[in-house]
Protein backbone atom coordinates (compact mmCIF):
# COMPACT_ATOMS: atom_id res chain seq x y z
CA UNK A 1 0.00 0.00 0.00
CA UNK A 2 2.83 2.37 0.83
CA UNK A 3 4.50 1.64 -2.51
CA UNK A 4 1.29 2.49 -4.38
CA UNK A 5 0.83 5.80 -2.58
CA UNK A 6 4.52 6.61 -2.89
CA UNK A 7 4.36 6.14 -6.66
CA UNK A 8 1.32 8.42 -6.84
CA UNK A 9 2.91 11.06 -4.62
CA UNK A 10 6.28 11.30 -6.39
CA UNK A 11 4.51 11.77 -9.72
CA UNK A 12 3.67 15.47 -9.99
CA UNK A 13 0.69 14.79 -12.26
CA UNK A 14 -1.04 12.59 -9.67
CA UNK A 15 0.20 14.17 -6.43
CA UNK A 16 -2.57 16.72 -6.02
CA UNK A 17 -5.34 14.24 -6.79
CA UNK A 18 -3.80 11.75 -4.37
CA UNK A 19 -3.80 14.33 -1.58
CA UNK A 20 -7.38 15.15 -2.51
CA UNK A 21 -8.30 11.47 -2.23
CA UNK A 22 -6.62 11.23 1.18
CA UNK A 23 -8.49 14.31 2.39
CA UNK A 24 -11.77 12.78 1.17
CA UNK A 25 -11.03 9.65 3.21
CA UNK A 26 -10.41 11.89 6.20
CA UNK A 27 -13.61 13.88 5.71
CA UNK A 28 -15.71 10.74 5.21
CA UNK A 29 -14.45 9.17 8.45
CA UNK A 30 -14.02 12.17 10.74
CA UNK A 31 -16.80 10.88 13.00
CA UNK A 32 -14.49 8.08 14.15
CA UNK A 33 -13.16 10.50 16.75
CA UNK A 34 -16.59 10.82 18.39
CA UNK A 35 -17.56 8.93 21.53
CA UNK A 36 -20.63 7.33 19.92
CA UNK A 37 -19.64 5.90 16.54
CA UNK A 38 -21.78 4.12 13.95
CA UNK A 39 -19.07 1.82 12.64
CA UNK A 40 -21.24 0.31 9.93
CA UNK A 41 -21.25 3.69 8.15
CA UNK A 42 -17.52 4.36 8.52
CA UNK A 43 -14.23 2.72 7.67
CA UNK A 44 -12.58 0.47 10.19
CA UNK A 45 -10.11 2.34 12.44
CA UNK A 46 -7.46 -0.22 11.48
CA UNK A 47 -7.73 0.94 7.85
CA UNK A 48 -7.22 4.51 9.04
CA UNK A 49 -4.20 3.31 11.01
CA UNK A 50 -2.72 1.96 7.78
CA UNK A 51 -3.28 5.37 6.19
CA UNK A 52 -1.60 7.03 9.17
CA UNK A 53 1.42 4.75 8.80
CA UNK A 54 1.77 5.77 5.15
CA UNK A 55 1.56 9.47 5.98
CA UNK A 56 4.11 9.10 8.78
CA UNK A 57 6.57 7.73 6.23
CA UNK A 58 6.03 10.84 4.08
CA UNK A 59 6.82 13.15 7.00
CA UNK A 60 10.51 13.86 6.48
CA UNK A 61 11.11 17.59 6.95
CA UNK A 62 11.92 19.45 10.20
CA UNK A 63 9.17 21.34 11.96
CA UNK A 64 10.83 24.67 11.16
CA UNK A 65 9.76 24.27 7.53
CA UNK A 66 6.09 23.65 8.33
CA UNK A 67 3.85 26.57 7.37
CA UNK A 68 2.09 27.53 10.61
CA UNK A 69 -0.91 29.27 9.08
CA UNK A 70 -1.83 26.49 6.67
CA UNK A 71 -4.97 25.71 8.66
CA UNK A 72 -6.34 29.13 7.59
CA UNK A 73 -5.27 28.84 3.96
CA UNK A 74 -8.04 28.78 1.32
CA UNK A 75 -6.54 25.56 -0.07
CA UNK A 76 -6.39 23.84 3.31
CA UNK A 77 -7.66 20.27 3.00
CA UNK A 78 -8.96 20.22 6.59
CA UNK A 79 -12.24 21.99 7.27
CA UNK A 80 -11.56 24.74 9.80
CA UNK A 81 -15.25 25.37 10.49
CA UNK A 82 -15.40 22.08 12.38
CA UNK A 83 -12.28 22.66 14.48
CA UNK A 84 -12.15 24.42 17.86
CA UNK A 85 -9.07 26.54 18.42
CA UNK A 86 -7.28 26.93 21.73
CA UNK A 87 -8.70 30.36 22.49
CA UNK A 88 -10.48 31.92 19.52
CA UNK A 89 -14.11 32.16 18.51
CA UNK A 90 -15.26 32.47 14.90
CA UNK A 91 -15.08 36.27 14.85
CA UNK A 92 -11.56 36.27 16.25
CA UNK A 93 -10.51 33.64 13.72
CA UNK A 94 -11.81 35.74 10.83
CA UNK A 95 -10.04 38.82 12.17
CA UNK A 96 -6.80 36.89 12.54
CA UNK A 97 -7.14 35.40 9.05
CA UNK A 98 -7.29 38.89 7.55
CA UNK A 99 -4.07 39.90 9.31
CA UNK A 100 -1.87 37.05 8.08
CA UNK A 101 -0.30 36.56 4.67
CA UNK A 102 -1.95 33.63 2.88
CA UNK A 103 -0.63 34.39 -0.59
CA UNK A 104 1.79 31.46 -0.53
CA UNK A 105 1.18 28.05 -2.07
CA UNK A 106 1.02 25.31 0.58
CA UNK A 107 3.95 22.94 0.31
CA UNK A 108 3.46 19.21 -0.06
CA UNK A 109 5.21 18.58 3.25
CA UNK A 110 2.95 21.01 5.09
CA UNK A 111 -0.16 19.37 3.68
CA UNK A 112 1.13 15.92 4.62
CA UNK A 113 1.97 17.12 8.12
CA UNK A 114 -1.51 18.45 8.84
CA UNK A 115 -3.23 15.47 7.23
CA UNK A 116 -1.12 13.22 9.43
CA UNK A 117 -2.27 15.07 12.55
CA UNK A 118 -5.90 14.66 11.53
CA UNK A 119 -5.49 10.97 10.67
CA UNK A 120 -3.79 10.34 13.99
CA UNK A 121 -6.91 11.68 15.71
CA UNK A 122 -9.27 9.29 13.91
CA UNK A 123 -7.00 6.24 13.94
CA UNK A 124 -4.44 5.99 16.74
CA UNK A 125 -6.44 7.99 19.27
CA UNK A 126 -9.65 6.15 18.37
CA UNK A 127 -7.99 2.76 18.75
CA UNK A 128 -6.42 3.78 22.05
CA UNK A 129 -9.86 4.75 23.36
CA UNK A 130 -11.42 1.57 21.95
CA UNK A 131 -8.77 -0.50 23.69
CA UNK A 132 -9.60 1.15 27.01
CA UNK A 133 -13.31 0.56 26.48
CA UNK A 134 -12.70 -3.08 25.59
CA UNK A 135 -10.68 -3.55 28.76
CA UNK A 136 -13.63 -2.23 30.76
CA UNK A 137 -16.08 -4.44 28.86
CA UNK A 138 -13.93 -7.52 29.43
CA UNK A 139 -13.75 -6.75 33.13
CA UNK A 140 -17.55 -6.43 33.28
CA UNK A 141 -18.12 -9.63 31.27
CA UNK A 142 -15.81 -11.57 33.57
CA UNK A 143 -17.72 -10.26 36.56
CA UNK A 144 -21.00 -11.40 35.01
CA UNK A 145 -19.47 -14.80 34.26
CA UNK A 146 -18.35 -15.20 37.88
CA UNK A 147 -21.84 -14.32 39.08
CA UNK A 148 -23.42 -16.87 36.72
CA UNK A 149 -21.00 -19.61 37.78
CA UNK A 150 -21.71 -18.87 41.44
CA UNK A 151 -25.43 -19.22 40.77
CA UNK A 152 -24.82 -22.63 39.23
CA UNK A 153 -23.19 -23.78 42.47
CA UNK A 154 -26.18 -22.85 44.59
CA UNK A 155 -28.41 -25.65 45.72
CA UNK A 156 -32.18 -25.86 45.68
CA UNK A 157 -32.74 -24.53 42.17
CA UNK A 158 -35.23 -26.12 39.82
CA UNK A 159 -34.11 -27.54 36.44
CA UNK A 160 -35.54 -24.63 34.41
CA UNK A 161 -33.52 -22.10 36.42
CA UNK A 162 -30.36 -24.16 36.01
CA UNK A 163 -30.89 -24.43 32.25
CA UNK A 164 -31.39 -20.68 31.98
CA UNK A 165 -28.23 -19.96 33.99
CA UNK A 166 -26.24 -22.47 31.91
CA UNK A 167 -27.42 -20.73 28.73
CA UNK A 168 -26.40 -17.34 30.14
CA UNK A 169 -23.02 -18.75 31.15
CA UNK A 170 -22.42 -20.17 27.68
CA UNK A 171 -23.37 -16.90 25.96
CA UNK A 172 -21.16 -14.94 28.34
CA UNK A 173 -18.19 -17.22 27.64
CA UNK A 174 -18.63 -16.78 23.89
CA UNK A 175 -18.89 -13.00 24.31
CA UNK A 176 -15.77 -12.98 26.47
CA UNK A 177 -13.91 -14.98 23.83
CA UNK A 178 -14.84 -12.52 21.06
CA UNK A 179 -13.93 -9.46 23.12
CA UNK A 180 -10.65 -11.01 24.23
CA UNK A 181 -9.70 -11.81 20.64
CA UNK A 182 -10.51 -8.26 19.52
CA UNK A 183 -8.59 -6.88 22.47
CA UNK A 184 -5.49 -8.92 21.60
CA UNK A 185 -5.67 -7.81 17.95
CA UNK A 186 -6.00 -4.15 18.92
CA UNK A 187 -3.19 -4.52 21.42
CA UNK A 188 -0.85 -6.02 18.81
CA UNK A 189 -1.64 -3.29 16.30
CA UNK A 190 -1.17 -0.20 18.40
CA UNK A 191 1.74 -1.56 20.44
CA UNK A 192 3.90 -2.18 17.40
CA UNK A 193 7.26 -0.67 18.34
CA UNK A 194 7.99 0.75 14.89
CA UNK A 195 4.61 2.45 14.71
CA UNK A 196 4.94 3.84 18.23
CA UNK A 197 8.40 5.18 17.44
CA UNK A 198 7.16 6.92 14.29
CA UNK A 199 4.20 8.38 16.15
CA UNK A 200 6.46 9.54 18.97
CA UNK A 201 8.75 11.36 16.54
CA UNK A 202 5.76 12.95 14.87
CA UNK A 203 4.20 14.06 18.17
CA UNK A 204 7.54 15.63 19.03
CA UNK A 205 7.22 17.77 15.90
CA UNK A 206 3.59 18.52 16.64
CA UNK A 207 4.35 19.81 20.13
CA UNK A 208 7.23 21.88 18.81
CA UNK A 209 4.86 23.42 16.28
CA UNK A 210 2.52 24.46 19.08
CA UNK A 211 5.15 25.71 21.48
CA UNK A 212 7.36 27.61 19.06
CA UNK A 213 4.74 30.37 18.92
CA UNK A 214 5.10 31.17 22.62
CA UNK A 215 8.52 29.93 23.70
CA UNK A 216 11.91 29.63 22.00
CA UNK A 217 13.14 26.29 20.79
CA UNK A 218 16.40 24.98 22.23
CA UNK A 219 18.05 25.91 18.92
CA UNK A 220 16.84 29.53 19.07
CA UNK A 221 18.39 32.39 21.03
CA UNK A 222 15.77 33.32 23.63
CA UNK A 223 16.94 36.95 23.65
CA UNK A 224 15.90 37.44 20.02
CA UNK A 225 12.65 35.51 20.35
CA UNK A 226 9.30 37.31 20.11
CA UNK A 227 6.24 35.28 21.15
CA UNK A 228 3.13 35.32 18.97
CA UNK A 229 0.21 34.76 21.32
CA UNK A 230 -2.40 35.12 18.57
CA UNK A 231 -0.86 32.34 16.52
CA UNK A 232 -0.79 30.05 19.55
CA UNK A 233 -4.43 30.84 20.38
CA UNK A 234 -5.44 30.06 16.80
CA UNK A 235 -4.04 26.53 16.80
CA UNK A 236 -6.59 23.67 16.78
CA UNK A 237 -7.36 22.29 20.22
CA UNK A 238 -7.91 18.77 18.88
CA UNK A 239 -4.38 18.61 17.51
CA UNK A 240 -2.85 19.35 20.90
CA UNK A 241 -5.14 16.82 22.57
CA UNK A 242 -4.03 14.19 20.06
CA UNK A 243 -0.38 14.70 20.97
CA UNK A 244 -0.89 14.77 24.72
CA UNK A 245 -3.18 11.72 24.71
CA UNK A 246 -0.58 9.77 22.78
CA UNK A 247 2.15 10.65 25.29
CA UNK A 248 -0.11 9.60 28.15
CA UNK A 249 -0.77 6.34 26.33
CA UNK A 250 2.97 5.70 26.08
CA UNK A 251 3.52 6.44 29.75
CA UNK A 252 0.76 4.13 30.95
CA UNK A 253 2.90 1.04 30.39
CA UNK A 254 6.63 0.48 30.98
CA UNK A 255 7.08 -1.41 27.72
CA UNK A 256 5.60 1.47 25.72
CA UNK A 257 7.27 4.20 27.73
CA UNK A 258 10.73 3.12 26.58
CA UNK A 259 9.80 4.44 23.13
CA UNK A 260 10.04 7.92 24.63
CA UNK A 261 13.51 7.20 25.93
CA UNK A 262 14.81 6.83 22.37
CA UNK A 263 14.34 10.54 21.65
CA UNK A 264 13.54 12.00 25.05
CA UNK A 265 16.18 14.73 24.72
CA UNK A 266 14.57 16.02 21.52
CA UNK A 267 11.25 16.88 23.15
CA UNK A 268 10.52 20.52 24.01
CA UNK A 269 11.65 21.53 27.49
CA UNK A 270 8.11 22.28 28.65
CA UNK A 271 6.91 18.80 27.69
CA UNK A 272 9.92 17.21 29.36
CA UNK A 273 9.07 19.03 32.56
CA UNK A 274 5.32 18.41 32.50
CA UNK A 275 5.40 14.75 31.52
CA UNK A 276 8.76 12.99 31.46
CA UNK A 277 10.52 14.41 34.52
CA UNK A 278 7.33 14.48 36.58
CA UNK A 279 6.62 10.86 35.69
CA UNK A 280 10.05 9.65 36.77
CA UNK A 281 10.02 11.85 39.86
CA UNK A 282 6.67 10.62 41.16
CA UNK A 283 7.57 6.97 40.49
CA UNK A 284 10.94 7.18 42.24
CA UNK A 285 11.15 4.81 45.23
CA UNK A 286 12.19 7.77 47.40
CA UNK A 287 8.95 9.56 46.52
CA UNK A 288 6.45 6.73 46.12
CA UNK A 289 7.25 3.23 47.30
CA UNK A 290 4.08 1.89 45.65
CA UNK A 291 5.28 2.94 42.19
CA UNK A 292 8.75 1.47 42.61
CA UNK A 293 7.99 -1.55 40.43
CA UNK A 294 6.96 0.70 37.53
CA UNK A 295 10.10 2.81 38.00
CA UNK A 296 12.37 -0.24 37.98
CA UNK A 297 10.72 -1.66 34.86
CA UNK A 298 11.56 1.53 32.99
CA UNK A 299 15.03 1.90 34.46
CA UNK A 300 16.09 -1.69 33.81
CA UNK A 301 15.60 -1.35 30.08
CA UNK A 302 18.83 -1.02 28.09
CA UNK A 303 17.49 2.03 26.26
CA UNK A 304 17.03 3.80 29.59
CA UNK A 305 20.51 2.81 30.74
CA UNK A 306 22.08 4.21 27.56
CA UNK A 307 20.00 7.34 27.01
CA UNK A 308 18.19 8.56 30.10
CA UNK A 309 21.06 10.03 32.12
CA UNK A 310 22.60 12.03 29.22
CA UNK A 311 19.14 13.35 28.31
CA UNK A 312 18.40 14.43 31.88
CA UNK A 313 21.82 16.10 32.18
CA UNK A 314 21.14 18.06 29.00
CA UNK A 315 17.73 19.06 30.27
CA UNK A 316 19.23 20.01 33.64
CA UNK A 317 21.49 22.49 31.83
CA UNK A 318 18.88 23.73 29.32
CA UNK A 319 16.34 24.54 32.01
CA UNK A 320 18.46 27.52 33.06
CA UNK A 321 16.17 29.50 30.75
CA UNK A 322 12.60 28.26 30.33
CA UNK A 323 11.17 31.32 28.62
CA UNK A 324 8.65 31.72 31.44
CA UNK A 325 8.31 34.80 33.65
CA UNK A 326 8.77 32.47 36.64
CA UNK A 327 11.83 30.73 35.22
CA UNK A 328 13.99 31.71 38.21
CA UNK A 329 11.82 29.59 40.50
CA UNK A 330 10.91 26.94 37.93
CA UNK A 331 14.48 25.87 37.32
CA UNK A 332 15.04 25.10 41.01
CA UNK A 333 11.91 22.93 41.23
CA UNK A 334 12.73 21.07 38.02
CA UNK A 335 16.36 20.55 38.97
CA UNK A 336 15.38 19.30 42.40
CA UNK A 337 13.15 16.67 40.77
CA UNK A 338 15.98 15.64 38.46
CA UNK A 339 18.36 15.36 41.42
CA UNK A 340 15.93 12.98 43.14
CA UNK A 341 15.86 10.89 39.96
CA UNK A 342 19.66 10.93 39.83
CA UNK A 343 19.83 9.69 43.41
CA UNK A 344 17.57 6.74 42.59
CA UNK A 345 19.56 6.01 39.43
CA UNK A 346 22.80 6.01 41.42
CA UNK A 347 21.50 3.09 43.49
CA UNK A 348 21.34 0.98 40.33
CA UNK A 349 24.73 -0.44 39.32
CA UNK A 350 24.09 -0.26 35.58
CA UNK A 351 23.01 3.38 35.76
CA UNK A 352 25.86 4.21 38.13
CA UNK A 353 28.34 2.82 35.62
CA UNK A 354 26.74 4.89 32.83
CA UNK A 355 26.84 8.02 34.98
CA UNK A 356 30.55 7.51 35.70
CA UNK A 357 31.26 6.90 32.01
CA UNK A 358 29.38 10.06 31.06
CA UNK A 359 31.28 12.10 33.65
CA UNK A 360 34.60 10.91 32.25
Amino acid sequence: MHQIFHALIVNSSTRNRTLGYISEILDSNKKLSQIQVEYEQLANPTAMLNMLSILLDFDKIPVEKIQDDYIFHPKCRIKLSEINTLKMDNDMIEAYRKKIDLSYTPSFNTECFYLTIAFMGISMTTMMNNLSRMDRHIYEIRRQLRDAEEQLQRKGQNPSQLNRIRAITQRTKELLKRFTLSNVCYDCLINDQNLLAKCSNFVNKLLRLFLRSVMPDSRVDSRSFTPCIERFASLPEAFLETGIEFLHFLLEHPQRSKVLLLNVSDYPRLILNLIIVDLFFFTCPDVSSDAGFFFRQIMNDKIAVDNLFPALVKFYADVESTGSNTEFYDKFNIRRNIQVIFRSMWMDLAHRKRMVQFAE
Side-chain angles (χ1 to χ4, degrees):
M1 191 172 175
H2 176 268
Q3 292 177 342
I4 295 173
F5 273 93
H6 183 266
L8 293 170
I9 288 295
V10 296
N11 190 331
S12 58
S13 63
T14 57
R15 181 181 303 153
N16 190 56
R17 282 181 291 173
T18 303
L19 289 176
Y21 172 70
I22 294 173
S23 65
E24 283 296 323
I25 295 175
L26 173 65
D27 189 56
S28 301
N29 295 280
K30 60 190 175 185
K31 292 184 178 180
L32 280 171
S33 60
Q34 297 178 352
I35 297 176
Q36 298 293 333
V37 180
E38 297 180 8
Y39 286 104
E40 62 275 6
Q41 298 181 8
L42 302 170
N44 194 300
T46 56
M48 298 299 97
L49 194 69
N50 287 336
M51 197 70 245
L52 171 66
S53 181
I54 292 170
L55 289 170
L56 286 170
D57 288 334
F58 291 151
D59 179 48
K60 301 295 184 184
I61 67 167
V63 69
E64 290 78 14
K65 295 185 179 180
I66 301 296
Q67 294 158 317
D68 298 70
D69 302 321
Y70 168 76
I71 199 72
F72 299 105
H73 201 279
K75 294 184 179 180
C76 177
R77 299 182 188 273
I78 302 171
K79 294 182 179 178
L80 181 62
S81 59
E82 301 172 3
I83 295 177
N84 294 323
T85 60
L86 288 176
K87 202 173 182 180
M88 275 193 179
D89 56 27
N90 291 334
D91 294 335
M92 295 171 69
I93 290 173
E94 287 303 317
Y96 178 68
R97 192 201 298 265
K98 293 176 182 178
K99 292 169 57 177
I100 56 180
D101 180 17
L102 298 175
S103 59
Y104 63 87
T105 300
S107 67
F108 165 75
N109 291 296
T110 295
E111 292 196 286
C112 273
F113 183 84
Y114 279 90
L115 285 172
T116 305
I117 300 173
F119 265 96
M120 193 167 182
I122 66 170
S123 59
M124 193 68 180
T125 304
T126 298
M127 292 186 69
M128 284 157 36
N129 294 334
N130 286 350
L131 186 63
S132 297
R133 281 195 289 269
M134 276 193 284
D135 287 337
R136 292 194 295 270
H137 285 320
I138 289 173
Y139 175 82
E140 181 62 23
I141 292 170
R142 284 176 174 163
R143 186 190 63 78
Q144 293 174 2
L145 183 60
R146 284 196 303 269
D147 292 344
E149 289 175 343
E150 287 175 1
Q151 290 181 25
L152 283 175
Q153 302 300 322
R154 294 174 186 168
K155 297 180 180 180
Q157 300 184 79
N158 58 51
S160 62
Q161 287 179 319
L162 289 174
N163 290 335
R164 182 177 60 83
I165 295 172
R166 288 193 186 99
I168 293 173
T169 303
Q170 184 62 31
R171 287 198 302 269
T172 306
K173 286 181 178 179
E174 292 174 357
L175 187 62
L176 178 61
K177 183 178 179 180
R178 290 202 301 270
F179 266 94
T180 303
L181 181 60
S182 297
N183 184 273
V184 170
C185 292
Y186 260 61
D187 194 63
C188 289
L189 277 172
I190 64 176
N191 283 304
D192 178 78
Q193 293 295 302
N194 291 330
L195 177 63
L196 290 178
K198 288 194 292 186
C199 288
S200 178
N201 289 329
F202 179 78
V203 168
N204 183 1
K205 288 185 180 182
L206 171 61
L207 296 175
R208 286 187 180 279
L209 178 72
F210 269 79
L211 294 178
R212 73 178 181 178
S213 299
V214 291
M215 64 180 294
D217 193 270
S218 57
R219 307 176 185 88
V220 177
D221 185 359
S222 59
R223 292 170 295 182
S224 62
F225 175 77
T226 303
C228 183
I229 304 301
E230 276 190 308
R231 176 176 291 171
F232 180 77
S234 70
L235 293 169
E237 184 181 78
F239 292 176
L240 181 60
E241 288 178 351
T242 296
I244 297 300
E245 284 181 20
F246 177 75
L247 290 183
H248 284 166
F249 174 73
L250 289 184
L251 296 173
E252 284 175 353
H253 194 279
Q255 192 65 22
R256 290 195 295 259
S257 62
K258 72 177 185 179
V259 173
L260 275 177
L261 299 176
L262 290 170
N263 63 345
V264 66
S265 61
D266 294 331
Y267 271 83
R269 292 194 298 266
L270 181 61
I271 300 302
L272 279 173
N273 176 37
L274 292 178
I275 298 178
I276 310 300
V277 172
D278 279 355
L279 170 80
F280 290 140
F281 173 72
F282 286 112
T283 57
C284 276
D286 292 344
V287 178
S288 174
S289 57
D290 294 336
F293 177 71
F294 183 84
F295 182 82
R296 287 191 296 273
Q297 279 190 295
I298 298 175
M299 291 298 170
N300 290 341
D301 194 277
K302 187 179 184 303
I303 296 174
V305 174
D306 293 339
N307 298 284
L308 183 58
F309 180 71
L312 288 176
V313 169
K314 182 178 183 299
F315 182 44
Y316 192 95
D318 289 344
V319 82
E320 178 67 28
S321 176
T322 64
S324 168
N325 58 353
T326 59
E327 66 178 23
F328 179 79
Y329 303 99
D330 291 342
K331 66 182 179 183
F332 290 111
N333 293 328
I334 296 170
R335 284 175 173 173
R336 174 191 170 274
N337 291 352
I338 295 176
Q339 288 169 3
V340 173
I341 297 171
F342 284 163
R343 188 163 61 243
S344 295
M345 293 172 69
W346 184 255
M347 303 304 294
D348 184 278
L349 293 179
H351 281 282
R352 182 184 298 186
K353 181 179 179 181
R354 181 71 179 98
M355 294 164 82
V356 172
Q357 288 175 344
F358 188 81
E360 294 174 348

